[in-house]
Amino acid sequence: MKKIKEESLTRRNFLTRTAALSTFFIVPRSVLGGKGYTPPSDRVTLGFIGNGRQSHDLLDFFVDTKEVQILAGSDVYEVKRNYFKLRVDVAQSDSKKGCDVYNDFRELLNRKDIDAVVIASPDYWHAVHTLRAAEAGKDIYGEKPLAHTIDEGRAMVTAVSKYKRIFQTGSMQRSWPEFRQTAELVRNGYIGDIKTIKVSVGGPPVDYDLPKEKLPEGLDWDLWLGPNSYYHYNSQLAPTLPFKIWGKWRNYKPFGGGEMADWGAHMFDIVQWALDMDRSGPTNIIPPNGKEYPFLTYRYANGITMTHEDFGKWNAIRFVGTKGQIDVQRNKLETSPATLADYKIGPNEKHVYYSDNHYKDWLNGIRKRTQPICDVETGHRSGSVCSLGNIAYELKRPLEWDPIKEKFINDIEADKLIGREMRKPWTL
């Protein structure tokens, strides 16, 4: 891979480069008025915590709803927060208010004119950002996986409940038709009794081994590390503009959960949904042993098994039942019998929560004070499946899990891995 060269941007060359970029922005329909237009004074006001690559996709999705006003962004990297401000100000040119930006997210949370926050920071920050946002009275859209550890996820659930916040986990596949169809086919028994499930995503995280590089201008590295102890800087952890790669922090144990958590949070989430396990989880986690268990294997209390296994399709799920099979990926649903892919589930059959827009669903929940399609408990349970798998991979032995108490059974060593040490002042 060609090394990404970090480049320090002065205010002058930043404005020069981003002015050129702005000429290619498509002005959203919201600035033109017309049917469905919501005046800025009636919109939900948002702040974005984390202004990296993912935040720009979310910016577009939320602006396209025509129901929000983005007032602020926060990022520890100056070039990213300034670029975020530029994009917001262009997208919301109908507004008399510009987008303010902050290095420290706490300044954003102190704003009384912000109703809710979108958390698009790295995984290891999610719990701290969520707890502080809930305490500040903000509703929350939080990126997946919900948390870096199981203990942090439970702390997030507790805080959201305590402060009566509306939380949507960014598991947007629940608002996509192919995944909703999958869940309803499984729940209604159209492929019979489920015998096994295969989830094809990447593997667990590894120890941090990137070489040390010179810290670029405008990056607050101590605040980037946040709850973590010190680790040296490498540009692949926090790539700058243009966003040619995703931040590689996902791959390393101090910061993320590998592809098991990054893509797994999407795919294991759909399994949990289809099995009606949004308030529970597996009871046994068995790492591959080269013998009777060639793949990481989960077992639920009802006897259903699930493997972490590449079955020839990437970022995909295979449900195998006594009467048929379902393979589902983004924008692709294959079933056996083939007619099930387009089968219309009857009005008197089992249906899951219906949402066809993950972002509007959250905004609707904020206005009505009702829970959205993927609330904080749901996100926590799906994220826990990923964490449990990573713990089994690390310890290399079978584990028994109590999904009610959220503790391992008679395993002190494993219990130590459901949480982590966090640096002050970011402890929970």
Side-chain angles (χ1 to χ4, degrees), residues 300-425:
Y300 288 86
N302 58 12
I304 293 174
T305 61
M306 172 173 65
T307 56
H308 173 220
E309 174 182 351
D310 179 0
F311 57 87
K313 296 180 180 179
W314 204 236
N315 296 328
I317 311 165
R318 171 170 290 171
F319 293 87
V320 180
T322 55
K323 297 180 181 178
Q325 178 176 299
I326 299 171
D327 284 3
V328 62
Q329 298 168 277
R330 290 186 177 181
N331 303 309
K332 191 171 185 179
L333 178 61
E334 296 178 314
T335 63
S336 176
T339 54
L340 292 179
D342 298 316
Y343 185 80
K344 301 299 181 184
I345 306 296
N348 296 323
E349 297 184 88
K350 295 177 183 178
H351 289 270
V352 296
Y353 182 120
Y354 182 89
S355 164
D356 60 4
N357 186 306
H358 213 59
Y359 317 99
K360 286 189 175 185
D361 179 62
W362 177 54
L363 298 172
N364 185 59
I366 290 174
R367 294 188 179 95
K368 294 184 177 181
R369 310 312 297 171
T370 56
Q371 293 302 320
I373 189 169
C374 198
D375 66 10
V376 66
E377 176 76 30
T378 298
H380 167 58
R381 292 294 185 167
S382 294
S384 294
V385 175
C386 308
S387 294
L388 291 169
N390 280 337
I391 292 171
Y393 273 126
E394 181 166 344
L395 295 179
K396 298 180 175 61
R397 55 180 169 78
L399 304 170
E400 291 185 74
W401 176 249
D402 185 334
I404 298 175
K405 295 181 179 179
E406 292 188 299
K407 296 288 184 182
F408 290 100
I409 298 174
N410 299 322
D411 198 325
I412 296 175
E413 183 183 14
D415 276 337
K416 290 180 180 179
L417 298 180
I418 67 175
R420 60 168 173 151
E421 293 291 328
M422 298 177 74
R423 186 168 61 129
K424 294 181 178 179

Side-chain angles (χ1 to χ4, degrees), residues 42-199:
D42 296 335
R43 299 175 190 175
V44 175
T45 54
L46 299 181
F48 275 62
I49 299 176
N51 301 156
R53 180 171 176 174
Q54 179 65 11
S55 74
H56 291 270
D57 287 342
L58 293 171
L59 184 165
D60 292 335
F61 294 142
F62 277 110
V63 168
D64 195 53
T65 68
K66 309 176 193 176
E67 298 177 15
V68 305
Q69 183 75 19
I70 302 172
L71 297 184
S74 170
D75 199 280
V76 300
Y77 207 159
E78 182 180 19
V79 67
K80 290 183 179 180
R81 61 179 180 264
N82 287 342
Y83 181 57
F84 182 82
K85 171 180 171 56
L86 173 68
R87 286 218 54 217
V88 173
D89 287 346
V90 170
Q92 296 183 162
S93 59
D94 63 333
S95 172
K96 295 180 181 179
K97 293 183 178 181
C99 176
D100 298 317
V101 288
Y102 306 96
N103 181 64
D104 191 324
F105 73 96
R106 290 171 291 189
E107 295 183 70
L108 183 152
L109 292 179
N110 285 336
R111 295 260 307 248
K112 302 301 182 184
D113 57 344
I114 292 177
D115 300 320
V117 295
V118 176
I119 296 175
S121 52
D123 301 354
Y124 64 92
W125 262 114
H126 287 181
V128 174
H129 286 154
T130 294
L131 267 63
R132 296 295 181 97
E135 187 178 19
K138 313 300 184 188
D139 295 314
I140 304 157
Y141 184 100
E143 265 302 335
K144 43 52 62 186
L146 186 84
H148 191 42
T149 69
I150 295 172
D151 274 354
E152 289 167 58
R154 179 48 60 192
M156 293 166 73
V157 174
T158 300
V160 168
S161 175
K162 176 181 177 180
Y163 294 104
K164 297 179 172 57
R165 298 298 91 204
I166 303 302
F167 189 106
Q168 176 85 295
T169 311
S171 298
M172 72 287 187
Q173 290 180 167
R174 291 199 179 210
S175 295
W176 292 11
E178 63 272 27
F179 295 104
R180 181 170 57 252
Q181 178 75 352
T182 295
E184 293 188 344
L185 288 172
V186 170
R187 289 200 187 191
N188 284 286
Y190 279 97
I191 60 170
D193 295 330
I194 301 299
K195 292 301 182 184
T196 188
I197 302 164
K198 300 179 182 182
V199 177

Side-chain angles (χ1 to χ4, degrees), residues 200-215:
S200 177
V201 294
V206 297
D207 293 331
Y208 182 50
D209 60 358
L210 292 175
K212 184 177 181 179
E213 295 179 352
K214 182 180 178 180
L215 194 66

Side-chain angles (χ1 to χ4, degrees), residues 209-321:
D209 60 358
L210 292 175
K212 184 177 181 179
E213 295 179 352
K214 182 180 178 180
L215 194 66
E217 181 183 349
L219 173 58
D220 186 336
W221 188 242
D222 184 69
L223 195 53
W224 189 92
L225 289 169
N228 278 316
S229 57
Y230 179 79
Y231 291 90
H232 62 253
Y233 166 80
N234 182 283
S235 57
Q236 292 193 43
L237 292 180
T240 188
L241 303 177
F243 295 121
K244 292 183 178 180
I245 64 170
W246 291 98
K248 295 298 179 66
W249 52 262
R250 296 167 172 81
N251 299 345
Y252 301 103
K253 290 178 182 179
F255 315 115
E259 289 293 313
M260 270 290 287
D262 194 49
W263 269 98
H266 283 304
M267 297 306 172
F268 289 117
D269 176 66
I270 298 302
V271 173
Q272 288 277 109
W273 195 28
L275 297 182
D276 198 11
M277 287 287 177
D278 282 343
R279 296 297 184 266
S280 187
T283 56
N284 298 84
I285 309 95
I286 307 161
N289 60 13
K291 299 176 183 178
E292 66 269 36
Y293 294 100
F295 307 102
L296 177 76
T297 301
Y298 298 87
R299 183 176 295 115
Y300 288 86
N302 58 12
I304 293 174
T305 61
M306 172 173 65
T307 56
H308 173 220
E309 174 182 351
D310 179 0
F311 57 87
K313 296 180 180 179
W314 204 236
N315 296 328
I317 311 165
R318 171 170 290 171
F319 293 87
V320 180

